[in-house]
CSV table of all heavy atoms in Angstrom, one decimal:
chain,number,residue,atom,x,y,z
A,285,LEU,N,-19.5,-155.9,-127.2
A,285,LEU,CA,-19.6,-154.8,-126.2
A,285,LEU,C,-21.1,-154.6,-126.0
A,285,LEU,O,-21.5,-153.5,-125.5
A,285,LEU,CB,-19.1,-153.5,-126.9
A,285,LEU,CG,-17.6,-153.6,-127.0
A,285,LEU,CD1,-17.1,-152.3,-127.5
A,285,LEU,CD2,-16.8,-153.9,-125.7
A,286,ALA,N,-21.8,-155.6,-126.1
A,286,ALA,CA,-23.3,-155.4,-125.9
A,286,ALA,C,-23.6,-155.4,-124.4
A,286,ALA,O,-24.7,-155.3,-124.0
A,286,ALA,CB,-24.1,-156.6,-126.6
A,287,GLY,N,-22.5,-155.6,-123.6
A,287,GLY,CA,-22.8,-155.7,-122.1
A,287,GLY,C,-23.2,-157.0,-121.6
A,287,GLY,O,-23.6,-157.8,-122.4
A,288,PRO,N,-22.8,-157.4,-120.5
A,288,PRO,CA,-23.1,-158.8,-120.0
A,288,PRO,C,-24.5,-159.0,-119.5
A,288,PRO,O,-25.0,-157.9,-119.2
A,288,PRO,CB,-22.0,-158.8,-118.8
A,288,PRO,CG,-21.8,-157.5,-118.2
A,288,PRO,CD,-22.1,-156.5,-119.5
A,289,ASP,N,-24.9,-160.1,-119.6
A,289,ASP,CA,-26.2,-160.5,-119.2
A,289,ASP,C,-26.2,-160.6,-117.6
A,289,ASP,O,-25.2,-161.1,-117.2
A,289,ASP,CB,-26.5,-162.0,-119.7
A,289,ASP,CG,-27.9,-161.9,-120.4
A,289,ASP,OD1,-28.6,-161.1,-120.0
A,289,ASP,OD2,-28.0,-162.7,-121.4
A,290,THR,N,-27.1,-159.8,-117.0
A,290,THR,CA,-27.1,-159.8,-115.6
A,290,THR,C,-27.2,-161.3,-115.0
A,290,THR,O,-26.8,-161.6,-113.9
A,290,THR,CB,-28.3,-159.0,-115.0
A,290,THR,OG1,-29.2,-158.9,-116.0
A,290,THR,CG2,-27.7,-157.7,-114.7
A,291,ALA,N,-27.9,-162.2,-115.7
A,291,ALA,CA,-28.0,-163.5,-115.2
A,291,ALA,C,-26.6,-164.3,-115.2
A,291,ALA,O,-26.3,-164.9,-114.1
A,291,ALA,CB,-28.9,-164.4,-116.0
A,292,LEU,N,-25.8,-164.0,-116.1
A,292,LEU,CA,-24.5,-164.7,-116.2
A,292,LEU,C,-23.5,-163.9,-115.4
A,292,LEU,O,-22.3,-164.3,-115.2
A,292,LEU,CB,-24.0,-164.8,-117.7
A,292,LEU,CG,-24.8,-165.6,-118.5
A,292,LEU,CD1,-24.3,-165.5,-120.0
A,292,LEU,CD2,-24.8,-167.1,-118.1
A,293,TRP,N,-23.8,-162.8,-114.9
A,293,TRP,CA,-22.9,-161.9,-114.1
A,293,TRP,C,-21.9,-162.7,-113.1
A,293,TRP,O,-20.8,-162.5,-113.0
A,293,TRP,CB,-23.6,-160.6,-113.5
A,293,TRP,CG,-22.5,-159.9,-112.7
A,293,TRP,CD1,-22.3,-159.8,-111.4
A,293,TRP,CD2,-21.7,-158.9,-113.3
A,293,TRP,NE1,-21.3,-158.9,-111.1
A,293,TRP,CE2,-20.9,-158.4,-112.3
A,293,TRP,CE3,-21.5,-158.4,-114.7
A,293,TRP,CZ2,-19.9,-157.4,-112.4
A,293,TRP,CZ3,-20.6,-157.4,-114.8
A,293,TRP,CH2,-19.9,-156.8,-113.7
A,294,SER,N,-22.6,-163.4,-112.2
A,294,SER,CA,-21.9,-164.1,-111.2
A,294,SER,C,-20.9,-165.2,-111.8
A,294,SER,O,-19.9,-165.4,-111.2
A,294,SER,CB,-23.0,-164.9,-110.2
A,294,SER,OG,-23.8,-165.6,-111.1
A,295,GLN,N,-21.2,-165.7,-112.9
A,295,GLN,CA,-20.4,-166.7,-113.4
A,295,GLN,C,-19.2,-166.1,-114.1
A,295,GLN,O,-18.1,-166.6,-113.9
A,295,GLN,CB,-21.1,-167.5,-114.6
A,295,GLN,CG,-21.1,-169.0,-114.2
A,295,GLN,CD,-21.9,-169.7,-115.3
A,295,GLN,OE1,-21.8,-169.4,-116.4
A,295,GLN,NE2,-22.7,-170.7,-114.9
A,296,ILE,N,-19.4,-165.0,-114.9
A,296,ILE,CA,-18.3,-164.5,-115.7
A,296,ILE,C,-17.7,-163.3,-115.1
A,296,ILE,O,-16.8,-162.6,-115.7
A,296,ILE,CB,-18.7,-164.4,-117.2
A,296,ILE,CG1,-19.8,-163.4,-117.2
A,296,ILE,CG2,-19.1,-165.7,-117.8
A,296,ILE,CD1,-20.4,-163.1,-118.6
A,297,GLY,N,-18.4,-162.8,-114.1
A,297,GLY,CA,-17.9,-161.6,-113.5
A,297,GLY,C,-16.5,-161.3,-113.3
A,297,GLY,O,-15.9,-160.4,-113.8
A,298,PRO,N,-15.7,-162.2,-112.6
A,298,PRO,CA,-14.4,-162.0,-112.3
A,298,PRO,C,-13.5,-161.7,-113.6
A,298,PRO,O,-12.8,-160.9,-113.5
A,298,PRO,CB,-13.8,-163.3,-111.7
A,298,PRO,CG,-15.2,-163.8,-111.1
A,298,PRO,CD,-16.2,-163.6,-112.0
A,299,ALA,N,-13.7,-162.6,-114.5
A,299,ALA,CA,-12.9,-162.4,-115.8
A,299,ALA,C,-13.2,-161.0,-116.4
A,299,ALA,O,-12.3,-160.3,-116.8
A,299,ALA,CB,-13.2,-163.5,-116.8
A,300,LEU,N,-14.4,-160.6,-116.5
A,300,LEU,CA,-14.8,-159.3,-117.0
A,300,LEU,C,-14.1,-158.2,-116.1
A,300,LEU,O,-13.7,-157.3,-116.7
A,300,LEU,CB,-16.3,-159.2,-116.9
A,300,LEU,CG,-17.2,-159.8,-118.0
A,300,LEU,CD1,-18.6,-159.3,-117.9
A,300,LEU,CD2,-16.7,-159.3,-119.4
A,301,LEU,N,-14.1,-158.3,-114.8
A,301,LEU,CA,-13.5,-157.3,-114.1
A,301,LEU,C,-12.1,-157.0,-114.3
A,301,LEU,O,-11.6,-156.0,-114.4
A,301,LEU,CB,-13.8,-157.6,-112.5
A,301,LEU,CG,-15.1,-157.1,-112.0
A,301,LEU,CD1,-15.1,-157.6,-110.5
A,301,LEU,CD2,-15.1,-155.6,-112.1
A,302,LEU,N,-11.5,-158.4,-114.4
A,302,LEU,CA,-9.9,-158.3,-114.7
A,302,LEU,C,-9.7,-157.6,-116.1
A,302,LEU,O,-8.8,-156.8,-116.2
A,302,LEU,CB,-9.4,-159.7,-114.7
A,302,LEU,CG,-9.2,-160.3,-113.5
A,302,LEU,CD1,-8.8,-161.7,-113.6
A,302,LEU,CD2,-8.1,-159.6,-112.6
A,303,VAL,N,-10.5,-157.9,-117.1
A,303,VAL,CA,-10.3,-157.4,-118.4
A,303,VAL,C,-10.5,-155.8,-118.3
A,303,VAL,O,-9.9,-155.0,-118.9
A,303,VAL,CB,-11.2,-158.0,-119.5
A,303,VAL,CG1,-11.0,-157.3,-120.8
A,303,VAL,CG2,-10.8,-159.5,-119.6
Side-chain angles (χ1 to χ4, degrees):
Chain A
L285 297 184
D289 230 331
T290 22
L292 294 174
W293 176 263
S294 49
Q295 237 178 41
I296 58 178
L300 280 185
L301 273 176
L302 284 175
V303 175

